[in-house]
Amino acid sequence: MNKRIVMKYHIISALRILLFFGVFGVYAQSHQEHVYLRVNTASLLSGESLYYKIYVLDESNKPSSLSKLAYIELFDGKKNTVTKQKVLVNEGIASGDLFIDKEIASGSYKLIAYTNEALKNTELFQTDLLVVNPYQNNFENWESSSDTTGTSQEIVKKDVVIKSSDLLLLNNHEFGKREKVVVNFDREILKNTSFLEGNYSLSVRKIDAFSKIESIPESKNFKHYLFKDASLDTKQITAEFRGNIISGKLTGDDIANKTITASVPGNPFQFKLATTNENGDFYLVLDNPLPSSTVYLQPLNTTDALVTIDSFYIPKKAIREIKSYDLKLAMQPDIAERAVADQIENAYYDYKRDTLLEVANESVKKFYAPLEKIYYLDDFTRFPTMQETIVEIVKELYFKKKKGKYTLHSRDYENEYSENLFGETLIFIDGIIIRDTDQFFNYDARKIDRIEVVNSGYFYGGKLFNGIASVYTKEGDFILENNDEFPVYKKEMLPLSSTKTYFKPTYKTATSNARIPDYRYQLVWEPIFNLKEKANYSFYTSDVPGLYEITLDGFTSNGDPVSMCTQILVK
């Protein structure tokens, strides 16, 4: 490809990005974003998972197209963070699960969900969660009452009035163990295009007094769980319209119009550039998903300035009062029985694995593809040093040594003045930009798998470079050393939580999986429930008798809230 055409292409791409941010910024200012967190339950035992779906909505309850990332955070009774997850938002929807570890103590917790865009409006979605850890036996608020209302004992002793819905139609309301349940939807409501094209979740879960101790937020009342708080400092918050944001500041004497680089190692890796403003502030946008949780930040054209990376924490005063709960002593047998069921299910986890869904990788191509020439070093005579390897194999590269310091250059055969015209060469090892060329030339070339070279002027991030030299090691384990002359700053990013299809067994015959026990309390969790595809839906009961609740919750395509519920009894 002609070099001028390549440079023109990259300049046009940069202009398109600037235009995108300008138009998108105006759009974002006129659209406020809200977060609704739908969970499968509000009371859990240690060793269980909380399943959740995050709706990112505009003012009319329709999916927001702004944020690409959302967060869920669990706080304990003292308002300290217990765990935090980041999920990818696709067309206003995200989902995941939160495992309640056996190290988590019994008590009351607060679940908070948000996007950076919602944070900019000082808004958080907050709901309460009760955790009982039967392995630590440290729950303090037990009532001495022997009342068994709502417990499994009470359900077994008398006939149960099963709640039903005219819109959720079942093949029966009473079922045996491992029996097929068929769910249909009223034909008239399916004629409603807005309902049919809506955005829903489906949950089937065993209910008793413990599971009903705290109500679950629903689509029809989710705004009751949205709280604004002026104590949220939003100055450092940047909406994540394209991906992960890293912001920070250069401090020193010469801080304006300086280039900050971000390297995210991997195969392929990510490399981004940002330019500081007159105050030394910078913003870097990283694509989703990140190939690694570690990001290396380095100033490119200054050595006497320090980099400070912004961080954000939800202040305790922004967290609403956390509820306290009293449990009946009569619930203890139910809790003990459920804890045993959880242990059995966890013991057979290898037979009941959830399916991880692959996330579309926006950065699957190297930023310099397809311009590179690749040298697989095993195809040539091996040399122990980088110097010999460059001289004998990689003809597009050459180096100089002045006052004991190496510099690397690319050789453009079409332009004998390319070195002076285009400045320095971009050097990478395993995706980490190398400023200290001594680390490059001191590396053992026998550990290298391949070298990729772009030997012409390359325009990227507003800067013009004298080509690219990208080295991939065999093990992908290069460690960049920090030094005073070329300081390196690390930023550990919260990894992206996996999206899954959750396990759901099929018992087509009486002997299907007969030797594998089934003690599921959560029979179904479908965070993305598409009525067009699943208007006739089926699942199987487990070996656990009791009352189960089938709940469909979400929004129509017009933004109208939908919450349907019916029940079945398993004997």
Side-chain angles (χ1 to χ4, degrees), residues 23 91 99 125 148 154 163 166 176 180 232 237 240 254 288 310 318 327 347 405 495 503 508 525 552 565:
V23 174
E91 296 181 355
F99 183 71
F125 181 97
T148 61
E154 184 260 351
K163 296 179 182 178
D166 294 333
K180 186 176 184 179
L232 289 169
I237 300 298
E240 294 168 310
D254 187 15
N288 289 316
D310 294 336
L327 299 182
K405 192 71 177 178
F503 174 78
K508 293 183 178 180
W525 174 251
L552 180 83
C565 179

Side-chain angles (χ1 to χ4, degrees), residues 11-38:
I11 292 171
I12 291 173
S13 297
L15 291 174
R16 284 175 176 169
I17 291 171
L18 291 173
L19 180 61
F20 168 83
F21 272 113
V23 174
F24 210 64
V26 173
Y27 175 80
Q29 290 175 7
S30 62
H31 289 71
Q32 188 170 348
E33 195 170 79
H34 303 291
V35 171
Y36 164 42
L37 176 67
R38 176 66 180 178

Side-chain angles (χ1 to χ4, degrees), residues 46-61:
S46 297
E48 295 181 339
S49 290
L50 175 81
Y51 300 109
Y52 64 85
K53 178 177 182 178
I54 293 177
Y55 295 81
V56 183
L57 306 168
D58 62 18
E59 287 286 4
S60 59
N61 293 343

